[in-house]
Amino acid sequence: MIPRYIADFDLQALPRMKTDVAVVGAGIAGLYTALQTSEYADVVLISKKGLDDSNTRWAQGGIAAVTAKSDSPALHRQDTLIAGAGLCSYDAVEVLVHEGPDRLKELIAYGTEFDRDAEGQYELTQEGAHSKRRILHANGDATGAEIVRALSKRVMEQENIHVLEQHFAIDALTQDGECVGMIVQKPDGELFFLEAKATVLATGGAGQLYRYTTNPEIATADGIGIAYRAGARIKDVEFIQFHPTALYYPGAPRFLISEAVRGEGAILRNTNGDRFMDKYHPQKELAPRDIVARAIVAEMEQTKSSFVYLDITHESEELIKHRFPTIYNFCLQYGLNMVTDWIPVAPACHYIMGGVQTDLNGETTTSRLFACGEASCTGVHGANRLASNSLSEAVVFGHRIARRIKELTELPAIQPIRVVSKYRQTRTFNTREQRLKLQKLMLRHVSVKRDEKGLKKALAELERMELFYQYIAQDREAFEFLNLLNAAVLTTRASLLREESRGGHYRTDFPNKDDLLWRKHLIQTFDNAIQEECGQNDVE
């Protein structure tokens, strides 16, 4: 059983720090929201590693926003809704496509330098399921790194943003249904209470649920765990996006080979050398990610191979090196030359469409607790995220969060609380071993393809692993594992309940989309209630 708090504490005995706004996470969502709120409030920004350690740093493709005269918010909306497979919130998508361009201008004002052509115009590329070239990028394929560089620099220049690196946010403290701050662990292991009028979870994704992922090691579903235990609603977590093209090569990590490579003309070939995407979708290599990922898995099964090839050798050396310098140089380290070699790739966990449910101002169902970026579920992505909408979502809703926090009243007096679990054992456990076990279990049974037998097996084993909540977690790795376990249980449970295939959720025993019974959301709460919600604004 998952406990309300995963660490014992006595609030009266803890050291206390006070701020207006606590922001947990140092990716684009956390950095941008911190900057926006710092215009009128004092902010504490918590980063469990350094400011340069986040999912955003590894984002390659770019950021989607309407900037070209040939494009329009209506087209961007249409592409987003089609990719979302009937579960996008129309209102949330409207917010994204109409407010995205202005937020992009703010990123530029904060110092982000996007790539320009010889005439000084911003270079635009196209990615899967986009009808227009609307993706801005930086340093070819290092967009995330450039955004983090610019925002981090600006954050460090603000006197009223206090950055706590190497600190871990363990749990949100709640009182009468309101979040009043965070229980935080210092680098030396000591706990303290960070009191805040508003708390923003910008903790990133959940890629470490799986053995193979494009995410860094820090993507451990912390926001989902914190929010769930604090009583917020967790929505649509069965929808996991597996990026179709992660590098698959002996000795190399599952490095992301950006969708933009296919946007610039790369084609997929099976190990027999045959191009195959025309058999699966009229958009071929630029079909939605879930379709491309399943097509690759199907080809791997047919050819009895563990990978397929991505071939861009027909494009010029100049284009490849200019447009994809990061990918080119990374592959070169392992003896692969994109100019002359086909690149072996396979799907890997990339993004979670679901997360902490929020309204259009980023507020969760727990008052004063907000979520932003991949940790959140705003309704923009539905069952399948459109490429490069994630960075846009982070800044659009980060701006709205800052505007909403400004309206909040002061905190009421905080009552003393002492948490001592009667079940807690004075034992520790091997977190690396258990984390690997969890990842293999998810990869085997809750991956690109799922079925009832495998999901039931996974859920039973995960529920047995809940005994680790009774052990004493002493360090960041242990707390991360407990958050991963929390998210794994919720994801597997929702995947078992949804008896259809839609977007990032595919059941081999229910291979078709069922709008009559399943055009709805699965919402889970800490009291173990599972709700089925038909959103009035969900659209095809």
Side-chain angles (χ1 to χ4, degrees):
M1 181 177 176
I2 299 172
R4 167 62 187 91
Y5 294 99
I6 56 175
D8 292 344
F9 61 90
D10 183 345
L11 191 62
Q12 287 184 299
L14 285 183
R16 185 173 297 202
M17 183 177 182
K18 188 173 182 179
T19 188
D20 297 319
V21 182
V23 177
V24 185
I28 183 174
L31 294 169
Y32 180 87
T33 306
L35 284 170
Q36 291 277 298
T37 52
S38 72
E39 294 179 5
Y40 61 82
D42 289 330
V43 181
V44 170
L45 177 66
I46 301 170
S47 175
K48 66 178 179 180
K49 294 192 78 175
L51 279 190
D52 59 346
D53 286 295
S54 66
N55 266 2
T56 303
R57 180 170 173 263
W58 300 98
Q60 295 175 354
I63 182 169
V66 172
T67 58
K69 292 181 179 179
S70 60
D71 199 2
S72 71
L75 287 173
H76 191 184
R77 178 185 64 219
Q78 174 181 285
D79 294 344
T80 301
L81 298 178
I82 290 172
L87 285 188
C88 294
S89 161
Y90 185 89
D91 289 346
V93 175
E94 276 285 276
V95 167
L96 179 83
V97 300
H98 285 284
E99 297 182 15
D102 285 340
R103 305 291 79 80
L104 180 65
K105 292 175 184 176
E106 287 176 347
L107 279 180
I108 294 169
Y110 282 143
T112 306
E113 298 180 3
F114 293 104
D115 293 338
R116 299 176 183 264
D117 60 23
E119 298 176 353
Q121 300 298 311
Y122 287 115
E123 291 183 351
L124 300 176
T125 191
Q126 188 170 358
E127 294 184 341
H130 283 272
S131 59
K132 295 288 184 179
R133 298 178 75 91
R134 65 169 68 95
I135 316 298
L136 279 79
H137 49 83
N139 299 321
D141 55 357
T143 309
E146 168 57 18
I147 290 173
V148 168
R149 178 204 65 78
L151 295 184
S152 295
K153 181 176 182 294
R154 184 59 68 97
V155 161
M156 297 306 292
E157 292 171 350
Q158 308 308 307
E159 291 185 359
N160 59 334
I161 299 181
H162 184 47
V163 178
L164 299 178
E165 293 184 300
Q166 308 297 330
H167 283 62
F168 189 79
I170 298 173
D171 266 313
L173 188 71
T174 53
Q175 177 178 290
D176 298 325
E178 284 192 318
C179 178
V180 295
M182 295 293 306
I183 303 298
V184 183
Q185 186 179 51
K186 297 179 181 179
D188 63 5
E190 181 186 13
L191 303 186
F192 72 95
F193 172 50
L194 176 60
E195 180 183 339
K197 182 172 73 172
T199 300
V200 183
L201 299 176
T203 53
Q208 290 299 321
L209 283 172
Y210 294 88
R211 183 73 181 93
Y212 302 119
T213 177
T214 61
N215 293 185
E217 287 192 356
I218 59 171
T220 52
D222 300 326
I224 291 175
I226 291 168
Y228 176 75
R229 296 188 297 272
R233 289 155 55 117
I234 307 300
K235 178 178 176 180
D236 289 350
V237 286
E238 66 270 33
F239 297 111
I240 306 283
Q241 188 170 81
F242 292 85
H243 199 288
T245 53
L247 181 64
Y248 186 93
Y249 199 69
R254 290 297 178 94
F255 184 75
L256 176 65
I257 308 296
S258 171
E259 190 153 358
V261 178
R262 283 174 281 136
E264 296 293 347
I267 60 176
L268 288 163
R269 301 181 184 276
N270 60 27
T271 50
N272 296 326
D274 301 323
R275 186 178 185 181
F276 58 83
M277 276 308 301
D278 55 347
K279 296 188 299 182
Y280 297 94
H281 197 275
Q283 287 181 280
K284 301 177 184 178
E285 281 79 10
L286 293 182
R289 286 177 176 175
D290 61 307
I291 294 172
V292 180
R294 287 196 297 274
I296 289 173
V297 170
E299 291 294 316
M300 287 161 50
E301 291 173 348
Q302 291 172 23
T303 59
K304 294 181 171 55
S305 175
S306 53
F307 61 90
V308 297
Y309 289 111
L310 187 65
D311 173 18
I312 196 172
T313 58
H314 49 278
E315 299 293 343
S316 71
E317 181 175 354
E318 180 183 6
L319 181 146
I320 293 170
K321 289 184 176 180
H322 168 72
R323 184 65 184 82
F324 307 110
T326 305
I327 300 173
Y328 175 80
N329 286 312
F330 188 89
C331 289
L332 211 59
Q333 294 178 46
Y334 296 93
L336 295 168
N337 189 331
M338 290 177 68
V339 176
T340 57
D341 299 329
W342 296 353
I343 307 301
V345 295
C349 178
H350 184 59
Y351 192 91
I352 181 167
M353 270 72 71
V356 186
Q357 181 183 359
T358 73
D359 61 17
L360 294 181
N361 292 315
E363 193 163 10
T364 74
T365 50
T366 297
S367 182
R368 298 181 185 270
L369 181 64
F370 296 78
C372 190
E374 192 174 350
S376 70
C377 183
T378 62
V380 162
H381 306 309
N384 187 39
R385 176 175 68 88
L386 183 66
S388 290
N389 266 356
S390 55
L391 299 183
S392 303
E393 180 196 35
V395 294
V396 164
F397 289 90
H399 176 82
R400 285 177 155 253
I401 287 170
R403 190 173 64 189
R404 170 67 183 119
I405 290 175
K406 193 174 183 179
E407 300 171 349
L408 294 179
T409 58
E410 293 302 313
L411 278 178
I414 297 174
Q415 304 302 315
I417 177 174
R418 186 168 181 262
V419 175
V420 180
S421 173
K422 61 182 179 181
Y423 301 108
R424 200 87 70 196
Q425 302 179 24
T426 57
R427 297 171 58 188
T428 58
F429 57 94
N430 187 323
T431 53
R432 291 180 181 271
E433 177 184 345
Q434 296 304 322
R435 181 163 165 165
L436 182 59
K437 179 181 178 181
L438 180 151
Q439 290 173 330
K440 288 183 175 180
L441 195 66
M442 295 294 287
L443 180 65
R444 190 172 299 118
H445 300 300
V446 201
S447 190
V448 176
K449 293 184 177 182
R450 306 162 180 180
D451 61 38
E452 181 181 15
K453 181 180 178 181
L455 290 167
K456 283 185 173 179
K457 184 176 180 179
L459 186 58
E461 184 59 36
L462 289 167
E463 288 176 342
R464 281 193 288 270
M465 293 173 74
E466 288 182 357
L467 66 88
F468 291 112
Y469 285 108
Q470 299 175 17
Y471 291 19
I472 294 178
Q474 295 181 322
D475 54 26
R476 192 192 83 211
E477 288 75 16
F479 289 122
E480 286 178 328
F481 168 75
L482 296 178
N483 285 331
L484 283 170
L485 179 56
N486 195 330
V489 169
L490 299 180
T491 296
T492 306
R493 187 182 295 157
S495 299
L496 182 60
L497 286 169
R498 184 174 287 276
E499 294 182 335
E500 67 154 355
S501 292
R502 183 188 298 266
H505 169 72
Y506 185 79
R507 290 277 297 264
T508 57
D509 47 351
F510 295 95
N512 300 314
K513 185 169 71 170
D514 186 349
D515 278 342
L516 182 63
L517 293 178
W518 283 105
R519 194 169 170 186
K520 55 191 174 185
H521 306 278
L522 289 175
I523 295 168
Q524 302 179 69
T525 54
F526 184 69
D527 58 7
N528 288 322
I530 297 177
Q531 304 171 35
E532 297 177 4
E533 178 184 84
C534 296
Q536 295 179 346
N537 292 311
D538 294 344
V539 290
E540 198 83 48

